[in-house]
Amino acid sequence: MSLADPTPAGRFGEFGGLFVPETLVPACQELEGAFRDAWSDDTFRAELDQLLRDYAGRPSPVTECRRLSEELGCRLLLKREDLNHTGSHKINNVLGQALLARRMGKTRLVAETGAGQHGVATATAAALLGLECVVYMGEVDMRRQELNVFRMRLLGAEVRSATSGSRTLKDAINEAMRDWVATVETTHYCLGSVMGPHPYPWLVRELQTVIGREARRQCAERLGGDGLPDVVTACVGGGSNAIGIFSGFARTRVELVGVEPAGGAAIGRGVPGVVHGMKSYLMQDEWGQVLEAHSVSAGLDYPGVGPEHSHLAAAGLARYEQVTDAEVIEAFQVLSRTEGIIPALEPAHAIAWVLRAAPQLQGATVLVNLSGRGDKDVAQMMDLLG
Ligand SMILES: *Cc1c(COP(=O)(O)O)cnc(C)c1O
C-alpha cells in the first residue's frame, strides 16, 4: 500500500535518473547505499522516530474543519504539519538527513534555499546535532527574506549568496551542488525536496512518508466505512509534502490531487527536460532555458517538480491542478476566518483548489495536507491586502 520504488537507475517511469557531473556519481552512490542501510536499521529508525516525537512534536494531529465543511458541503480534514517545530513538514526531511550525515561521518551540511524555510530547517537540524552548516541563497532572495537570513545566522549557519543567473533558488541549487563536488569527503548535501539526482527524490520521499503513515492511521480511526477519505490534496512545489501524504493512500480508491501555482506549474505548463540532476517536467523557453517561476508564495517558486510527480501525472495515478494567486489570497483569508488557522501561502493553494472544486465535492471527505503555518506570510499579506 505504498508508492513504487524507483528503478536501480533512479527512474520513475521515464523520469528521474542521475544527471550529474562524473565527480558526483560516486557521492550519489555512497549516499544511496548509506540511506538504504540506515533505513533498514531499527536503531536508526528508532533514533529518528524519537527526534520526530520529542523535538519536532509528532505525530501531528488531523483537524476536522466543522464550519468550513458546512459552508462547502464536503467534509474537510487538515493534516496539521503546520504544528511541527519550525512550522512545516520540512523538519521531517532535515532531521533524517542530518542523522544520516552524522552516520556517514560527515561533519558539514550544505543546503539551498529559496524563501529560506529549508535553510532555516537545515540550520536547525545542524544546530541540534552539532554539524557545521552552509546555506546557499540567491542574492535576490536574501534581500526579500532577510528575517530568515537572520534566523539561519542565529542558528549558527553561514549564509552564502548565489550571485549567478537570476540570483534565486535555481542558482542557489547550482552553487550548493558545486560546493558538494568540492567538499564531498566532509560534506552532506541536504536537499530540500523530492527533486535532484537519484537517490534524493526517493530518499526525501521516504523521510516524508511519516505524514502519510500517520494520516492513514488517523483517517482509519476517525472515518467510518473503509476508513479512507475520497480525496487527498496537497500543494506542489518540488513536491515533498504532497508525496509524503500521497504515499499513505497510494493504490487505494483515494483520488490524489496535487495543486501547483499557475505561475509555477511545471506539470500543468511545462515539458520534459533535464535540470538539477533529474529528468522531469520543467518550465522552459523554446531554446530550453529554464524559466523563472512566479507565485505569491515564495516557497513554490520552483520552475521544476520532483520526477515522481511527473511520473504520477503521466501515468494518470494522480491529478494536478493549478490555482491563481488571487484564489490563494482568498483561501488564506477563508481558512483564517472560518477555522482560526492561518495557513502558509503554500498549502493555501490546496485550500484554494478545494474552494473552487467544492461543487463537485458535495458529500465527499477531503483531506488537505496543511504543510505549514502562515506566520511567515503575515507581513506580505498585510502589504497585499492594505
Ligand atoms: C517549502 C514548502 C513547500 C513546498 O515544498 P514541497 O517540497 O513541494 O512540499 C510547501 N509548503 C510549505 C509550508 C513549505 O515550507
Side-chain angles (χ1 to χ4, degrees), residues 167-303:
R167 293 167 291 147
T168 58
L169 175 60
K170 68 179 172 60
D171 312 294
I173 297 174
N174 289 329
E175 304 246 337
M177 283 201 177
R178 222 167 284 145
D179 181 314
W180 193 36
V181 174
T183 60
V184 68
E185 289 294 310
T186 58
T187 300
H188 171 67
Y189 178 17
C190 183
L191 221 157
S193 191
V194 284
M195 42 156 287
H198 182 62
Y200 283 103
W202 166 68
L203 185 163
V204 177
R205 177 190 85 184
E206 292 301 297
L207 293 173
Q208 293 292 2
T209 55
V210 65
I211 305 172
R213 280 196 306 276
E214 284 177 13
R216 181 69 183 268
R217 174 169 48 75
Q218 289 162 321
C219 283
E221 285 163 8
R222 177 186 302 259
L223 305 176
D226 62 5
L228 292 170
D230 301 297
V231 178
V232 171
T233 184
C235 64
V236 175
S240 67
N241 88 88
I243 213 79
I245 198 157
F246 286 0
S247 69
F249 301 92
R251 298 185 237 192
T252 68
R253 65 172 182 86
V254 177
E255 185 171 20
L256 306 174
V257 181
V259 184
E260 298 184 298
I267 294 179
R269 292 168 50 196
V271 291
V274 172
V275 73
H276 297 142
M278 64 182 177
K279 181 179 179 190
S280 197
Y281 283 110
L282 174 66
M283 302 213 316
Q284 50 191 345
D285 67 17
E286 55 187 306
W287 298 283
Q289 291 295 313
V290 178
L291 289 172
E292 279 296 293
H294 291 288
S295 147
V296 66
S297 149
L300 299 181
D301 268 0
Y302 179 59

